[in-house]
Amino acid sequence: MNHRAKAAWDQLGLYRTPPLAELFHDPDRLSLLSARFDLPQGGGIRFDWSKTHLTGELLAGFEVLAEAAGFAAARAALFAGDIVNPTEGRAAEHIAQRGLGRDSSVEEAQALHERMKLLVEAIHDGALGEVRHLIHVGIGGSALGPAMTVDALARDLALVDVHVVSNVDGCALEEAFAACDPQTTLLAVASKTFTTIETMTNAESVLKWLGDGGVDDPGGRVVALTASPEKAVEWGVDETRILPFPETVGGRYSLWSSIGFPVALAVGWEEFDAMLEGAAAMDRHFLDHDGAANLPLRAAFADLYYTRLRGCQTRAVFAYDERLRLLPSYLQQLEMESNGKGVTADGQPVSAATAPITWGGVGTDAQHAVFQLLHQGTHLVPVDFIASIAPGDGLDPAHHRILLMNCFAQGAALMAGKASGDPARSYPGDRPSATILCDDLDAATLGALIAFHEHRTFASAVLMGINPFDQFGVELGKEIARKIDRGGETFDLSTAALLAASGLA
Ligand code: F6P
């Protein structure tokens, strides 16, 4: 981190924030700290940070930090397709999948999307026979995005019934088998590297299940989604059913590429395209706005304020919308795999905390389980509430009314607290939350919401001086698992005893 950025951090560290109740004495607080993002295709998202401790002074201090940390140059490098992942010598070009960025990468993405669209439409038209189910095997970024988006968008009208299976635990696959008929099931093998052991093991088992279920040519029912098409060919997938994506698209940023195949198959190409468009609208906002007017950057200011200046070790996300129940898991990978780092982009140990632990759940369920800790526990947990004004259900409007009332009540209660003569019944209050309120949760809004979080994560990384695009931390465990598999190695006493007890050694 350069001297100016360090000085900006030092300056921020001197700032003492008044309690939230006091901050609300300022009649302009709501207009200063809330903003609306409009989608060109209609609808939008309201962001409200007024119940966080951000103030005009803090925003100004963080703007100085952004300037000193070279935020504008880092963003320009991201959009130009320059190498922003120095440890792997790669660009990070998920944005090109949405039509922005380096011209040649945008053209390549468009051509690959065209190929994907043709295959999706051919399948809908019956080119591979009757297809009622898709078993999509993949893990991490090759599963979390598709699982979340299919769950959010394909509730009313799933053209194909999608089952995303990630865990190598056979129980996961058995659950999918129980819900599918081999005669009308396709297999999508989603893996950037096409070597991930969980995915390849699951893929083999699906092929066997198809064969055992009387499918003459199980291999003819496979679609590969990968940045390593040559490996898919080696594995036996016909080239006409390989949908490649570029190496410069990171796994946890790959929903927009062919990894989104199950989404397009479930909801149709138009909806998938609308999701890309919504994300592109957020990309343009991120590119065109500076300082606190840039919404993902402003969210990063709030995140860093709590993590670095208030010592919060976690941040919680509660979606008051059943359609977003998988969002916390998705954000866990996006934020923790990207920014859970111990060294800066130039290899120096970091001097302060990096990514908080992202956790969360769905409202109102979480209120009856974990909110006790948020209201009265000893941890300060900044919360994001996410909701939609338009309901996802067609039942009595009472359902949605109760859902939203509870969402807003929780934010108000966390902030206001309540004094009581009985310590066990008193609420300290002054607990922060931000609210993200969508007009509706359609495909474009979902795309914008996901892109908002991608950019928020990137902005945090720039302000901390770390590389959000590598993930070497996941490798050591894989290496040790391979050694166990090979045998002949010695391990610590505990591991050796566990291996012996389970018959693995
Ligand atoms: O082990 C972590 C990871 O590399 C993630 O970054 C990635 O999303 C996941 O594994 C799956 O990788 P692949 O798509 O290559 O199978």
Side-chain angles (χ1 to χ4, degrees), residues 116-362:
M116 177 176 163
K117 178 178 179 223
L118 288 176
L119 184 60
V120 166
E121 290 179 347
I123 293 171
H124 285 154
D125 289 345
L128 297 182
E130 191 192 356
V131 174
R132 286 178 34 223
H133 312 280
L134 174 76
I135 298 182
H136 172 103
V137 299
I139 199 162
S142 295
L144 290 162
M148 173 182 69
T149 7
V150 168
D151 192 44
L153 299 177
R155 290 182 166 240
D156 301 336
L157 166 86
L159 300 171
V160 172
D161 161 48
V162 173
H163 296 263
V164 176
V165 178
S166 51
N167 199 345
V168 72
D169 182 340
C171 293
L173 211 43
E174 278 179 352
E175 197 180 322
F177 291 160
C180 299
D181 166 7
Q183 295 297 329
T184 55
T185 299
L186 273 192
L187 164 64
V189 185
S191 175
K192 180 172 177 183
T193 53
F194 227 76
T195 55
T196 304
I197 188 164
E198 293 92 331
T199 302
M200 303 322 294
T201 305
N202 277 334
E204 293 286 358
S205 292
V206 178
L207 281 184
K208 180 171 183 316
W209 173 79
L210 288 171
D212 292 350
V215 173
D216 290 340
D217 175 22
R221 306 195 67 82
V222 181
V223 177
L225 321 170
T226 184
S228 308
E230 66 299 334
K231 293 230 171 60
V233 171
E234 251 172 60
W235 194 76
V237 188
D238 189 278
E239 282 191 59
T240 56
R241 280 177 279 99
I242 297 177
L243 297 175
F245 65 93
E247 187 64 43
T248 53
V249 174
R252 55 192 170 276
Y253 303 89
S254 62
L255 167 66
W256 324 99
S257 70
S258 62
I259 292 293
F261 169 79
V263 186
L265 201 66
V267 295
W269 187 263
E270 247 179 57
E271 288 291 286
F272 181 71
D273 201 38
M275 190 174 82
L276 297 180
E277 283 298 320
M282 184 56 78
D283 294 337
R284 286 190 289 273
H285 166 88
F286 185 62
L287 190 57
D288 293 345
H289 292 77
D290 285 311
N294 181 314
L295 298 171
L297 182 60
R298 196 192 303 194
F301 291 169
D303 292 341
L304 291 169
Y305 167 76
Y306 287 110
T307 309
R308 289 210 158 171
L309 304 180
R310 297 288 292 265
C312 299
Q313 294 192 331
T314 82
R315 90 171 193 94
V317 181
F318 296 101
Y320 273 66
D321 196 308
E322 191 70 14
R323 293 168 294 176
L324 291 179
R325 62 187 167 176
L326 299 181
L327 180 68
S329 312
Y330 176 83
L331 292 180
Q332 282 181 324
Q333 187 198 18
L334 175 64
E335 299 179 0
M336 293 161 72
E337 196 167 77
S338 296
N339 288 351
K341 304 288 166 63
V343 293
T344 59
D346 50 9
Q348 302 303 312
V350 291
S351 54
T354 58
I357 296 156
T358 307
W359 63 285
V362 70

Side-chain angles (χ1 to χ4, degrees), residues 378-414:
T378 51
H379 296 271
L380 182 68
V381 183
V383 173
D384 271 8
F385 293 109
I386 305 183
S388 163
I389 298 174
D393 66 285
L395 300 187
D396 186 326
H399 285 271
H400 201 60
R401 188 176 141 76
I402 295 168
L403 184 71
L404 289 188
M405 279 184 333
N406 272 280
C407 176
F408 305 147
Q410 290 299 326
L414 285 167

